[in-house]
């Protein structure tokens, strides 16, 4: 179980400050998908960031996540909307059978920013059980936000993210799979066919495979960093270090952004162009 399942993790901050997924991402998914669009499942859905857009394409959508904290946040948001074709359930990605018992009854299964946490052998078999022949399995992830045009700040951010003195020791094992852009696990060839990868590395001149990019203030960027699982785990080791925004003397994220402001001349209100490296994998059920 990841830190996102901790009762102390802020699912609201995750919902508010993580980047959303652009229409181009869903266009790519639907262009790949073939056949009926009756039922879609979004696994590891968190607060529903990647789930809601699917409701425009499928008759019924179910978002599932093992974290009751995340599903509580998703259901709160759903209660404020008139969305009759969407529901959220607490369930692990490997246990689709807990709410879909009929084999071959699902048209589309997705996982956004989540597949690196799964038990992959079991997960692939469960997806194959649930999907109809020709149904789509897709999983997408993004990593390592990149400030366009500022190499010095990007170097500082990478050292902060993975250096031993900062957050490096606090990532959970799945992070390595995401950093390697999901090359370490692939849909089994006896269960899936027509496997495709769409990969983008931040800073590339060819942006044809880019999905994750947005303009954000430095203040919003700081809030985003505070949603990282590694920062949540760091806080457990340093409970006495309180963020300035919470009335404290400052914590590791405050010190990071002090350094960023010093070398860049940016202020909290500076609007920055930010992009993320990403990977999308698509496959069809045999």
């Amino acid at each position: 179980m990841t830190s996102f399942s901790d009762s102390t993790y802020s699912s609201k901050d995750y919902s508010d400050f993580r980047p959303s997924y652009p229409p181009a991402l869903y266009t790519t998914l639907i262009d790949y998908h073939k056949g009926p669009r009756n039922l879609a499942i979004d696994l590891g859905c968190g607060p529903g960031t990647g789930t809601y857009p699917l409701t425009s394409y499928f008759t019924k959508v179910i978002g599932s996540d093992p974290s009751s904290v995340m599903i509580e946040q998703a259901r709160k948001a759903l209660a404020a909307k008139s969305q009759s074709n969407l529901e959220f359930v607490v369930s692990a990605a490997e246990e689709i059978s807990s709410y879909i018992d009929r084999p071959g009854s699902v048209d589309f299964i997705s996982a956004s920013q989540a597949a690196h946490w799964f038990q992959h052998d079991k997960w692939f078999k469960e997806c194959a059980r649930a999907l109809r022949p020709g149904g789509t399995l897709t999983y997408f992830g993004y990593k390592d936000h990149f400030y366009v045009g500022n190499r010095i700040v990007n170097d500082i951010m990478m050292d902060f993210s993975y250096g031993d003195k900062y957050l490096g020791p606090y990532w959970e094992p799945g992070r390595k799979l995401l950093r390697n852009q999901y090359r370490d696990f692939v849909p089994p060839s006896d269960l899936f066919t027509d496997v495709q990868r769409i990969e983008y590395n931040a800073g590339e001149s060819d942006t044809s495979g880019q999905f994750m990019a947005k303009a954000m203030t430095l203040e919003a960027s700081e809030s985003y960093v505070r949603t990282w699982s590694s920062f949540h785990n760091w806080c457990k080791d340093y409970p006495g270090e309180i963020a300035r925004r919470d009335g404290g003397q400052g914590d590791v994220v405050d010190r990071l952004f002090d350094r960023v402001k010093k070398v860049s001349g940016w202020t909290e209100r500076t609007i920055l162009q930010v992009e993320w490296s990403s990977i999308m994998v698509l496959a069809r059920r045999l």
Side-chain angles (χ1 to χ4, degrees):
M1 185 171 290
T2 73
S3 59
F4 299 120
S5 295
D6 286 354
S7 60
T8 56
Y9 184 85
S10 176
S11 58
K12 185 178 187 305
D13 283 355
Y14 188 103
S15 180
D16 289 346
F17 299 118
R18 286 291 178 111
S20 57
Y21 304 117
L25 187 151
Y26 293 92
T27 299
T28 301
L29 297 180
I30 296 305
D31 285 348
Y32 177 87
H33 183 73
K34 294 180 180 179
R37 300 184 194 171
N38 296 316
L39 177 59
I41 296 175
D42 187 36
L43 303 174
C45 69
T49 306
T51 317
Y52 279 96
L54 294 174
T55 62
S56 297
Y57 302 101
F58 293 89
T59 303
K60 175 72 175 179
V61 178
I62 301 174
S64 78
D65 198 285
S67 168
S68 59
V69 174
M70 287 292 190
I71 292 299
E72 180 182 4
Q73 180 64 31
R75 287 173 174 165
K76 284 180 181 178
L78 180 60
K81 302 175 184 287
S82 55
Q83 197 82 45
S84 60
N85 66 333
L86 174 61
E87 68 175 282
F88 292 100
V89 299
V90 177
S91 177
E94 304 84 2
E95 298 174 357
I96 299 171
S97 60
S98 66
Y99 55 96
I100 300 290
D101 58 1
R102 186 160 64 89
S105 59
V106 179
D107 298 298
F108 181 97
I109 295 177
S110 63
S112 297
Q113 197 63 0
H116 45 290
W117 304 120
F118 300 164
Q119 299 174 49
H120 298 109
D121 289 346
K122 185 177 180 181
W123 175 58
F124 282 128
K125 290 177 182 177
E126 178 65 347
C127 288
R129 182 200 67 83
L131 281 169
R132 62 165 171 80
T136 299
L137 170 65
T138 180
Y139 45 103
F140 174 81
Y142 62 88
K143 67 184 182 77
D144 301 343
H145 69 296
F146 178 91
Y147 298 100
V148 177
N150 200 309
R151 181 185 60 79
I152 294 175
V153 171
N154 289 324
D155 288 345
I156 290 172
M157 188 61 64
M158 289 298 288
D159 183 47
F160 171 78
S161 300
Y162 299 112
D164 289 340
K165 294 190 299 182
Y166 304 104
L167 297 189
Y170 292 96
W171 291 105
E172 291 155 312
R175 186 68 183 186
K176 293 181 180 178
L177 305 180
L178 178 58
R179 289 197 75 194
N180 200 32
Q181 292 174 295
Y182 293 167
R183 296 183 185 91
D184 302 283
F185 58 99
V186 297
S189 59
D190 61 330
L191 299 174
F192 296 93
T193 187
D194 193 17
V195 178
Q196 299 181 22
R197 288 175 54 91
I198 302 174
E199 186 176 317
Y200 177 74
N201 291 293
E204 289 182 350
S205 56
D206 179 4
T207 59
S208 58
Q210 181 195 73
F211 289 112
M212 303 298 289
K214 67 179 295 184
M216 62 194 310
T217 64
L218 187 65
E219 182 179 27
S221 180
E222 176 185 335
S223 296
Y224 161 69
V225 169
R226 292 183 182 279
T227 70
W228 292 359
S229 60
S230 57
F231 174 65
H232 180 78
N233 292 331
W234 178 91
C235 289
K236 294 177 184 178
D237 276 1
Y238 297 93
E241 295 204 17
I242 308 300
R244 293 184 197 128
R245 69 179 188 177
D246 295 327
Q249 296 299 309
D251 60 15
V252 68
V253 175
D254 286 310
R255 293 191 289 275
L256 163 69
F257 281 89
D258 287 345
R259 187 179 174 193
V260 167
K261 291 172 186 175
K262 183 175 181 179
V263 302
S264 66
W266 298 339
T267 70
E268 290 186 347
R269 301 288 181 174
T270 301
I271 298 176
L272 308 166
Q273 296 300 318
V274 181
E275 62 180 21
W276 287 260
S277 298
S278 62
I279 176 61
M280 177 188 289
V281 180
L282 304 115
R284 296 188 207 285
R285 176 69 169 102
L286 279 170

